Amino acid sequence: MPAAMAVPREDDQGASKDGKDGAEPWPLWKLMLMALPQLSVQVLWCFIGPNSASYMRHLGMGNSLATLNNVAGPITGFFTGPIVGAMSDSLTSSFGRRRPVILAGLLSTWVAGMLFASSEHFLPKGQAVYFAAPMYWIMDVTINILQTPHRALVADLASEDQQLPMQVVFVFMMAIGNFLAFSIMKAFNPPVDHMFQLMLGICALNTFCVGVQFMVAREKPLRRDPNAPKESACAPIMDVIGAVKASPKLLYHLAGVQCLVWIGNTAWNLYAGQ
């Protein structure tokens, strides 16, 4: 476990590490605003998912390889999510544990997304695919960095009674994001001919939603115990491995069910419109 603790300040009024004890609960509407970036992240996933293979074919990649390149999302998410989550848990920035990671993910997604979507504009068509393909993997990493702390930020600030309603809110945000993404793509037909414009608009939407989240959220910095031993750079990875080993069998069962659900979701979201 990370050897860190939240040191209360004078204005904390006796709040504990998670900010829930001794403090008034956050209004539900503020927590909902903090969950808003989940909507824009889902728009981003639903945009690049169905269009990535088509865009690669548009740049000159073969059909089989263009389809195989879609494994970037699941593979990068499998490793990035837990590692970023563990690193965020032990982050001691004065801006909090979650917001610095979200900001880093947003900025890197802007860079990777715009480079991916504009590759055909600054490279010849036969060469653009060799730049866009690895950039697609990098972009998937940056999106996972962006989305990982959103639920954790809300969970940190919500009271015990608010945890379940906020999980429902996150699901609702994802559903609206799906609807919005496919509605946007209908306005640009075919989407692969307008990748730059669409990526620009969707990145701007994510910036707006994160801006709203940052205006509402207030985190208490996590401060390391000066007497605690120093952690190695691999500590977050070892924390994830330890948590997996200590998990009950029921969690493995649920993970298997979730895996099957996402196999179906991925097959439908990526290829239903092709």
Side-chain angles (χ1 to χ4, degrees):
M1 296 295 291
M5 60 181 293
V7 179
R9 297 172 297 183
E10 292 181 359
D11 59 343
D12 284 346
Q13 297 180 353
S16 65
K17 175 179 177 179
D18 59 8
K20 296 172 186 176
D21 297 337
E24 294 184 1
W26 283 75
L28 194 60
W29 67 271
K30 285 190 175 182
L31 294 174
M32 293 174 67
L33 288 178
M34 282 186 270
L36 189 61
Q38 187 64 47
L39 183 153
S40 56
V41 168
Q42 194 66 23
V43 171
L44 184 51
W45 281 126
C46 287
F47 163 61
I48 66 170
N51 295 305
S52 59
S54 300
Y55 183 57
M56 291 300 174
R57 292 199 302 268
H58 173 74
L59 296 178
M61 185 179 286
N63 291 337
S64 299
L65 190 57
T67 302
L68 183 62
N69 197 54
N70 281 333
V71 301
I75 291 177
T76 57
F78 182 83
F79 294 101
T80 306
I83 293 174
V84 170
M87 293 178 66
S88 174
D89 287 342
S90 58
L91 190 64
T92 56
S93 168
S94 59
F95 295 100
R97 295 186 294 170
R98 315 301 181 188
R99 288 179 295 173
V101 180
I102 293 172
L103 181 59
L106 177 64
L107 295 177
S108 58
T109 298
W110 262 103
V111 175
M114 299 313 300
L115 289 175
F116 169 76
S118 63
S119 57
E120 65 176 331
H121 296 289
F122 61 86
L123 289 172
K125 187 173 181 179
Q127 300 177 12
V129 66
Y130 297 106
F131 179 82
M135 190 55 61
Y136 177 68
W137 284 70
I138 295 173
M139 180 176 60
D140 281 358
V141 171
T142 65
I143 298 173
N144 276 289
I145 295 173
L146 170 62
Q147 78 167 1
T148 297
H150 289 323
R151 286 180 185 262
L153 174 62
V154 174
D156 289 345
L157 301 177
S159 66
E160 292 297 328
D161 293 338
Q162 293 170 326
Q163 296 291 337
L164 180 58
M166 286 311 303
Q167 292 303 314
V168 175
V169 168
F170 270 97
V171 175
F172 179 78
M173 292 291 184
M174 294 171 67
I176 297 299
N178 285 334
F179 177 79
L180 182 58
F182 284 103
S183 299
I184 292 173
M185 286 186 287
K186 280 189 174 183
F188 296 87
N189 190 25
V192 293
D193 290 341
H194 308 275
M195 289 293 286
F196 181 81
Q197 298 94 320
L198 286 166
M199 183 64 74
L200 180 64
I202 293 173
C203 285
L205 175 63
N206 275 271
T207 303
F208 170 77
C209 292
V210 169
V212 172
Q213 182 189 66
F214 280 20
M215 285 191 295
V216 176
R218 294 292 182 270
E219 293 185 86
K220 291 182 175 64
L222 184 67
R223 299 179 183 176
R224 193 173 303 279
D225 186 350
N227 298 320
K230 292 185 178 180
E231 297 179 340
S232 69
C234 297
I237 300 175
M238 299 308 298
D239 290 340
V240 172
I241 296 175
V244 171
K245 288 182 177 180
S247 299
K249 291 183 178 180
L250 178 60
L251 190 60
Y252 289 100
H253 175 81
L254 294 175
V257 172
Q258 189 77 352
C259 179
L260 294 174
V261 168
W262 275 102
I263 288 174
N265 283 343
T266 302
W268 173 258
N269 287 338
L270 295 186
Y271 307 114
Q274 296 181 16

